[in-house]
Amino acid sequence: MTFDPGQLGQSKADLAEKLRTLRRRADRTQVWLAQRCNMSQTKLSNIETGRVTPGIVDVELILRALDTPEELVAEVSNLARLANTEWQGKRASWRRGLEKRQAELAGLEAESTTLRYFLPAMVTGLLATPDYIKATLAHSPVDTTKTVAKKLERQAILYDSSKQFTFLLTEQAARWSAVPRAALAVQIDRLVSLSRLSNVRIGVAPLGTVLGRGPMNTFTVYDQRLATVETFTGRMVFQDARDISEHLKIFSLFERHACFDDEARSLLSEWAESYRS
């Protein structure tokens, strides 16, 4: 399936219409179909009118109950996957204010218990010093004063012991020179310090780690319900269980090859010293 960001908004309406058409074509009532799929008629009605986006499992149940032909199953399944994917463009974020994105992230973090961050290129805001945050926002064509403050506020979540954080960084991410050498040493020191929190694991994959799969892009997985993937022009939000599962597999692969605890702290400290010397 080819991805087109413009399809995402329309796909929800298309999915609702397609499911409604398939039920009517099969000459089945909402009551009959809801009972066969073990869901309420209200939920089914909301799905068919587009007020509720069905999960992949719901769609599969509906298609099976209606004895849908295989060629239509593939088409509707693709629609369902698109409908469970959201595109958030950078330009839209700039227009409404980057600090609003920080409020959304804070909400996601507050609702989640297990958070996994894959960082192949740069340090993420939760781990960043004020200097690093300011430097990484310097390219934004809008005022970022409030955004910097919100990013720093969000860091308090790291001290919530009811949550578990795992951050996986490549050596490039830890050593990327977003700031001058002295400030970068301080940034790496902060990684060492945060790695000592009981609920925070910081792993590092040093250059030379033999791993066939490349670290293609930054992503975050919130529990097992949602994954966000960063690109230069925006971010994609996945709620399809298959997409989330694939990102968890990738995370586990790199996690198995990363250094943690004292081994990671030793590497980080060595890199920090190299920038101080």
Side-chain angles (χ1 to χ4, degrees):
M1 179 179 64
T2 301
F3 169 70
D4 174 7
Q7 289 181 289
L8 297 183
Q10 185 59 37
S11 64
K12 296 184 181 183
D14 290 345
L15 177 62
E17 181 182 357
K18 181 67 72 174
L19 292 174
R20 184 171 64 250
T21 299
L22 286 172
R23 177 182 60 77
R24 289 173 176 172
R25 190 176 296 166
D27 196 23
R28 297 296 186 180
T29 66
Q30 283 189 348
V31 172
W32 179 91
L33 183 56
Q35 290 175 344
R36 288 293 298 268
C37 297
N38 196 29
M39 67 175 67
S40 69
Q41 183 187 354
T42 300
K43 178 178 178 179
L44 181 59
S45 176
N46 286 335
I47 287 172
E48 290 191 355
T49 55
R51 288 193 292 268
V52 169
T53 301
I56 304 302
V57 173
D58 289 331
V59 172
E60 288 176 350
L61 287 172
I62 291 170
L63 295 177
R64 193 177 305 127
L66 295 174
D67 198 22
T68 306
E70 282 301 315
E71 62 273 15
L72 285 178
V73 169
E75 177 187 341
V76 178
S77 295
N78 282 341
L79 272 178
R81 194 164 193 174
L82 276 174
N84 281 275
T85 304
E86 180 183 351
W87 170 255
Q88 299 174 345
K90 282 278 177 66
R91 290 181 178 84
S93 294
W94 290 336
R95 284 195 299 270
R96 66 193 186 97
L98 291 177
E99 68 277 5
K100 291 184 173 61
R101 171 61 182 164
Q102 296 307 305
E104 293 170 358
L105 288 173
L108 280 174
E109 291 153 3
E111 294 168 2
S112 305
T113 301
T114 304
L115 302 96
R116 301 172 176 88
Y117 300 80
F118 183 66
L119 308 168
M122 297 180 73
V123 172
T124 190
L126 284 183
L127 303 176
T129 62
D131 284 345
Y132 196 96
I133 291 173
K134 291 174 186 176
T136 58
L137 290 172
H139 68 283
S140 301
V142 294
D143 181 21
T144 59
T145 306
K146 292 181 180 178
T147 306
V148 172
K150 289 293 184 183
K151 278 180 173 280
L152 293 172
E153 284 178 21
R154 281 177 48 222
Q155 293 178 354
I157 199 76
L158 294 174
Y159 300 90
D160 183 346
S161 59
S162 68
K163 301 180 184 297
Q164 296 295 318
F165 298 87
T166 303
F167 299 89
L168 288 182
L169 297 90
T170 63
E171 181 175 341
Q172 171 180 305
R175 303 185 68 166
W176 185 255
S177 299
V179 290
R181 293 175 65 89
L184 184 55
V186 174
Q187 172 59 67
I188 297 175
D189 287 340
R190 175 163 172 75
L191 298 179
V192 173
S193 176
L194 290 173
S195 74
R196 299 186 187 279
L197 293 175
S198 61
N199 62 321
V200 175
R201 298 175 68 236
I202 295 180
V204 177
L207 291 174
T209 301
V210 179
L211 189 58
R213 189 153 196 175
M216 294 184 65
N217 47 256
T218 297
F219 66 82
T220 305
V221 182
Y222 299 89
D223 295 326
Q224 296 189 12
R225 61 189 176 85
L226 187 145
T228 63
V229 178
E230 302 285 336
T231 73
F232 275 112
T233 55
R235 64 188 60 83
M236 295 178 68
V237 181
F238 294 100
Q239 298 182 69
D240 183 336
R242 291 171 296 185
D243 291 317
I244 295 169
S245 176
E246 183 62 25
H247 282 89
L248 285 172
K249 286 179 184 176
I250 295 168
F251 192 91
S252 295
L253 172 65
F254 281 87
E255 189 175 21
R256 291 195 298 272
H257 289 80
C259 304
F260 285 91
D261 303 321
D262 287 341
E263 189 176 6
R265 285 189 282 271
S266 176
L267 282 171
L268 290 167
S269 297
E270 177 185 326
W271 297 338
E273 283 304 314
S274 73
Y275 291 113
R276 267 190 284 268
S277 63

